[in-house]
Amino acid sequence: SYELTQPPSVSVSPGQTASITCSGDKLGDKYACWYQQKPGQSPVLVIYQDTKRPSGIPERFSGSNSGNTATLTISGTQVMDEAVYYCQAWDSSSYVFGTGTKVTVL
Amino acid sequence: EVQLVESGGGVVRPGGSLRLSCTASGFSFDDFAMSWVRQAPGKGLEWVSGINWNDASTGYADSVKGRFIISRDNAKNSLFLQMNSLRAEDTALYYCAREGGGSSSNQAFDVWGQGTMVTVSS
């Protein structure tokens, strides 16, 4: 079955740039999306179709996808961005989520 | 306001059954594919099952195939998940989620409910 691998954790200072990777076989041939999940809350879609931001998502969130890696970039990271981030893609009639990355802003 | 509200969770013994419901409001329910996604305590997200807009196509994760059945009633703006032969590893918070893009799915879940907890324990 298809797997998406993310680093368990990423640390970033306020105002700096955080990059979260998501690796999967030929992931660049699929659409990748990203979710933010804060403790006790439901996931929120922050990037879809590799690079698109849903309405209401700040411009500091951006995405890319090429080769075997999709990347979520948070520019000018704010304390409120501290959360777990999941990537997700569609493969062989199933949706697959990444393992999740805890982003700590300190 | 676009909203999804799940219900039907609870505590059930191994081998038992449970039926989850999700009621949609604020959008044209029959224009969108829908899915169930679960999250075990302290763990990541796992897609469970999905159904297209007119009930003609369904899909299941290998972990639930043959035990769970997804269905929908567009007249009642409702999504369902019939869960049979439940196991301890099915214990999780079950989310209802809308697949964005309408008839041209963008393969991302743009609206989520608050979840309903299912606990399988003897």
Side-chain angles (χ1 to χ4, degrees):
Chain A
S1 61
Y2 195 73
E3 295 182 352
L4 293 173
T5 302
Q6 301 178 233
S9 62
V10 166
S11 295
V12 60
S13 300
Q16 299 304 302
T17 296
S19 294
I20 307 162
T21 58
C22 173
S23 299
D25 185 49
K26 298 180 181 178
L27 180 56
D29 293 343
K30 313 175 192 299
Y31 276 137
C33 62
W34 293 89
Y35 302 90
Q36 175 194 70
Q37 187 178 33
K38 296 181 179 180
Q41 298 184 17
S42 302
V44 173
L45 180 67
V46 295
I47 293 290
Y48 68 100
Q49 290 184 339
D50 298 337
T51 61
K52 298 178 181 178
R53 274 181 294 104
S55 172
I57 299 302
E59 291 184 10
R60 64 179 180 274
F61 289 90
S62 62
S64 63
N65 186 17
S66 179
N68 294 321
T69 304
T71 302
L72 174 70
T73 301
I74 312 174
S75 304
T77 307
Q78 300 186 9
V79 174
M80 68 173 65
D81 300 329
E82 188 163 284
V84 178
Y85 291 83
Y86 296 93
C87 60
Q88 175 241 300
W90 167 260
D91 177 80
S92 300
S93 302
S94 295
Y95 284 108
V96 180
F97 286 94
T99 49
T101 299
K102 166 67 174 170
V103 171
T104 301
V105 183
L106 44 66
Chain B
E1 179 191 6
V2 174
Q3 196 172 10
L4 298 171
V5 178
E6 303 93 336
S7 60
V11 180
V12 61
R13 295 189 183 277
S17 298
L18 212 54
R19 189 190 194 214
L20 306 184
S21 299
C22 169
T23 301
S25 59
F27 66 97
S28 297
F29 181 70
D30 53 6
D31 282 344
F32 292 85
M34 300 292 296
S35 277
W36 290 95
V37 177
R38 69 184 180 184
Q39 187 168 35
K43 302 298 183 182
L45 301 171
E46 180 189 16
W47 178 77
V48 174
S49 181
I51 187 168
N52 74 339
W53 67 275
N54 66 352
D55 214 357
S57 176
T58 59
Y60 299 90
D62 288 343
S63 57
V64 306
K65 201 169 292 184
R67 300 187 299 123
F68 290 10
I69 300 172
I70 191 171
S71 62
R72 64 191 294 164
D73 184 340
N74 287 341
K76 296 183 178 179
N77 291 340
S78 294
L79 176 72
F80 306 101
L81 186 68
Q82 177 65 43
M83 303 187 297
N84 302 320
S85 303
L86 283 162
R87 306 166 179 166
E89 53 264 37
D90 295 318
T91 294
L93 185 64
Y94 284 73
Y95 293 103
C96 168
R98 187 182 84 171
E99 194 170 317
S103 57
S104 300
S105 170
N106 60 23
Q107 299 179 350
F109 302 116
D110 63 348
V111 180
W112 295 67
Q114 84 290 346
T116 186
M117 187 68 199
V118 172
T119 302
V120 184
S121 173
S122 56

